[in-house]
Amino acid sequence: MPDIEVGEQLHRFPGGLKLRHHKQIACRDPLMRPALPETLCLPLQQHQGPPGECLVETGEQVLKGQPLTRARSDCEVPIHAPTSGTVSAIEDRPAGKRPGGLKRCIVLTPDGRERWCARKPVDDWHKLDAPALIEHWRAGGLAGLGGAMFPTAAKLRGDWDDQTSGVHTLILNGSECEPYISCDEMLMRIRPEAVVTGGLMLARALGAEQVVIAIEDQMGAVRKAFDEIVDQYDPDRRCRIVQVTTIYPEGGEKQLIQVLTGREVPHDGLPQSLGLVCLNVATAAAARDIIVDGTPVIERIVTISGPGIEHPRNLIALLGTPIHLLIEAAGGLSDEIDRLVLGGPMSGLPLASDQVPIEKGSNCILALRPVDTQRAQPEMPCINCGECVRVCPASLLPQELFHYLRAENYAEAERLNLFDCIECGCCAHVCPSHIPLVDHYRHGKDIMRERGIEDARARRAQQRFEARQARLADEAEQRKARRERRERKLEHPDGAKSEVQAAIERARARAAQNGNDGSDDDGDQS
């Protein structure tokens, strides 16, 4: 039995904020599928890690669900055709979170016929062992659908530290603590059986004894949906539904684990060191679809909301759909828009344009008006009030990190665990000086990552240089020694002969010690 009672008693994580939620405005209507786009733009890389190997060429006809890339390791995640059609281009296009960022994309022109490739559903998933389940999920393109997009296969069978004695609990994260985002809530309302079944499959792959599904205490409809189906789909009652207090950013992995267990994930450690694995509820539902239906990850639920949307709602969007088509399906824009955000208002990132396509980790498109984004007042100097320290859920020192980053003292910022920052935005939200602290942290992380890469390159270059210098010095010493031997032979030919004779005598002595009279050696030497 696990030594950690997950969810039996709720705890608190440090910091956090009570925020006003706006989720219900997007949950008033049932899920809807927009019209099929004229083109789909599919980035080869929709996950953390390198892209897979491209399997198609321009002009090729593809079927719905057909693999377009191939994963060569657990760190790569393949993509599949969301519909049947023709590959019209393979080129760099605007995609992803970074404004102006380009990704290699497969551009697919749908034919409208929705012709499926051959699918291979599993009749009885209980007969599959863990490696077989994980291989199905890797081939089906499963990655973290909560936004992190970490390859699920790598997470399920990664190289964990020596202190890991086994995973006993799988936590399915259904706590959407960010205002406006409600895609997971809608999923759990309409497909609770998929979440439960997928959770049991993932637990089997991990060898976990129990599954804890964490939802917010405001999700009454979700709790009712789970209560109605859990006996049917989980007769052994391995799944438990735990309602957690709605405090931002409780949906963060480490924060949710601390709430459920009262224990902190070690610095630079993994939840596996506590015997836990945390996955998103949408990831669990997609895991079920890959196994039971043979359907790879080709679509996801996306929340289209915000003050600038005419009719906020949740949509089932094919991957690769341009976001402007989803905005049109949600009634279009209601007012002049200042910013489109991928994610929520606290931790989301601005989008460069409305042509950016939906990817596996795209959970929400937020439209904000100028009144929603304008600053209350200009940025002022830090007054060291400590409010940012009070609300930081990662127990960092945000003001000190800010001072060091502004001074470009990245060594001290690293010492203060800058990379533990989850970029939740709590510090910037409460800062009375209106300092965009998270922007500084993101910029500092980018520079430190770049310098880390450059430092690694410099170290490798230095190692190559030093190895070359050592090799050249060794070769010079060998040449010098050979030259000196030749010179001695020319100057003292008798001495050279005596050296040969001395070598022969030494060989005879070694042979005598081994019980050999040396006669054979004499013959060999002659």
Side-chain angles (χ1 to χ4, degrees):
M1 291 296 293
D3 60 348
I4 302 176
E5 294 298 330
V6 181
E8 293 293 340
Q9 177 184 352
L10 297 183
H11 307 267
R12 280 294 309 269
F13 61 89
L17 294 171
K18 275 277 191 179
L19 300 176
R20 182 181 178 185
H21 278 208
H22 306 277
K23 296 177 180 291
Q24 295 308 313
I25 60 173
C27 297
R28 293 173 297 195
D29 297 303
L31 286 174
M32 183 185 77
R33 292 181 182 271
L36 188 65
E38 294 183 1
T39 59
L40 296 169
C41 181
L42 299 157
L44 272 63
Q45 183 188 29
Q46 300 186 30
H47 59 279
Q48 292 187 39
E53 176 186 5
C54 187
L55 299 176
V56 294
E57 297 179 351
T58 302
E60 185 173 341
Q61 299 285 325
V62 297
L63 299 175
K64 186 173 183 175
Q66 177 180 330
L68 303 180
T69 64
R70 179 175 66 89
R72 294 159 293 190
S73 71
D74 285 349
C75 294
E76 296 179 358
V77 178
I79 60 172
H80 300 75
T83 186
S84 58
T86 304
V87 177
S88 55
I90 302 176
E91 59 191 14
D92 292 339
R93 286 203 174 189
K97 297 181 178 180
R98 294 185 180 279
L102 298 176
K103 285 186 178 181
R104 196 69 175 171
C105 298
I106 295 174
V107 182
L108 178 63
T109 302
D111 58 14
R113 300 171 65 181
E114 294 291 294
R115 295 174 298 159
W116 274 94
C117 67
R119 287 185 282 180
K120 299 178 181 180
V122 176
D123 293 332
D124 185 2
W125 63 269
H126 297 88
K127 296 180 180 179
L128 296 181
D129 59 9
L133 285 168
I134 295 173
E135 197 57 38
H136 273 82
W137 292 326
R138 187 177 77 158
L142 188 60
L145 300 182
M149 296 182 288
F150 192 83
T152 304
K155 193 166 189 176
L156 295 178
R157 58 183 176 196
D159 294 328
W160 303 331
D161 57 59
D162 296 334
Q163 298 178 354
T164 301
S165 58
V167 174
H168 54 71
T169 302
L170 169 65
I171 298 173
L172 295 184
N173 188 351
S175 174
E176 291 177 308
C177 53
E178 180 94 40
Y180 290 102
I181 304 178
S182 57
C183 54
D184 287 345
E185 179 171 353
M186 287 297 292
L187 169 68
M188 291 185 288
R189 284 188 187 188
I190 65 170
R191 299 191 67 202
E193 72 285 350
V195 175
V196 170
T197 303
L200 293 173
M201 292 177 179
L202 292 164
R204 178 178 177 83
L206 289 164
E209 304 170 18
Q210 61 177 339
V211 179
V212 173
I213 304 175
I215 65 174
E216 294 178 13
D217 55 6
Q218 299 179 1
M219 296 181 178
V222 171
R223 181 60 189 257
K224 180 180 178 182
F226 276 123
D227 289 342
E228 290 176 353
I229 62 93
V230 73
D231 288 333
Q232 178 183 354
Y233 290 90
D234 180 27
D236 297 330
R237 304 292 293 185
R238 296 177 59 195
C239 291
R240 288 193 297 116
I241 314 301
V242 177
Q243 292 181 281
V244 297
T245 306
T246 306
I247 300 177
Y248 180 80
E250 198 165 51
E253 180 181 67
K254 292 185 177 181
Q255 286 68 41
L256 182 60
I257 288 174
Q258 191 166 358
V259 167
L260 293 174
T261 68
R263 297 178 62 176
E264 292 187 55
V265 177
H267 171 67
D268 290 337
L270 296 171
Q272 286 87 336
S273 61
L274 300 178
L276 309 169
V277 167
C278 188
L279 293 168
N280 182 261
V281 291
T283 308
R288 178 264 175 207
D289 294 343
I290 291 172
I291 301 295
V292 176
D293 300 332
T295 303
V297 181
I298 56 175
E299 63 184 20
R300 66 157 299 136
I301 301 176
V302 183
T303 301
I304 310 297
S305 189
I309 296 295
E310 185 68 37
H311 194 114
R313 66 186 309 159
N314 283 280
L315 301 171
I316 303 176
L318 295 178
L319 301 183
T321 302
I323 64 171
H324 73 88
L325 295 180
L326 301 183
I327 293 174
E328 292 175 8
L333 301 175
S334 62
D335 203 344
E336 179 185 358
I337 296 301
D338 179 69
R339 186 178 304 166
L340 290 173
V341 176
L342 176 60
M346 294 296 293
S347 59
L349 292 175
L351 292 169
S353 75
D354 59 2
Q355 301 297 317
V356 173
I358 292 297
E359 300 181 16
K360 295 182 181 182
S362 304
N363 55 2
C364 177
I365 303 299
L366 192 64
L368 300 176
R369 305 162 300 179
V371 68
D372 304 313
T373 60
Q374 67 184 9
R375 301 184 64 84
Q377 66 181 57
E379 179 180 334
M380 304 292 288
C382 174
I383 60 175
N384 291 317
C385 64
E387 281 297 293
C388 55
V389 179
R390 180 182 63 83
V391 299
C392 178
S395 300
L396 301 177
L397 299 173
Q399 87 282 23
E400 291 194 24
L401 284 170
F402 165 67
H403 291 314
Y404 284 126
L405 290 173
R406 189 173 59 176
E408 299 184 358
N409 190 341
Y410 300 108
E412 282 299 311
E414 184 176 12
R415 185 184 65 82
L416 291 175
N417 302 322
L418 172 63
F419 282 93
D420 280 358
C421 171
I422 62 173
E423 300 177 15
C424 63
C426 288
C427 54
H429 186 79
V430 300
C431 179
S433 297
H434 302 276
I435 301 172
L437 293 166
V438 178
D439 293 342
H440 287 278
Y441 304 152
R442 287 174 179 155
H443 179 65
K445 287 181 182 180
D446 288 341
I447 291 179
M448 290 169 69
R449 289 190 186 102
E450 292 174 2
R451 290 193 174 185
I453 295 172
E454 293 301 321
D455 290 346
R457 289 174 179 168
R459 286 194 297 271
R460 288 195 296 270
Q462 180 67 20
Q463 291 169 357
R464 288 194 298 269
F465 174 77
E466 292 175 352
R468 181 176 182 273
Q469 292 298 103
R471 185 177 67 254
L472 293 177
D474 185 57
E475 291 174 356
E477 287 293 330
Q478 293 178 6
R479 287 195 299 270
K480 180 180 178 181
R482 288 196 297 270
R483 185 171 60 252
E484 290 176 350
R485 286 197 297 271
R486 285 196 301 269
E487 290 175 353
R488 286 198 300 270
K489 289 179 182 178
L490 292 175
E491 293 176 0
H492 307 285
D494 294 337
K497 291 180 181 180
S498 63
E499 289 180 6
V500 174
Q501 187 63 33
I504 293 173
E505 293 296 335
R506 287 195 295 271
R508 286 176 176 172
R510 285 195 299 271
Q513 289 178 356
N514 294 330
N516 192 324
D517 61 2
S519 59
D520 292 338
D521 290 343
D522 290 345
D524 290 342
Q525 290 290 346
S526 64

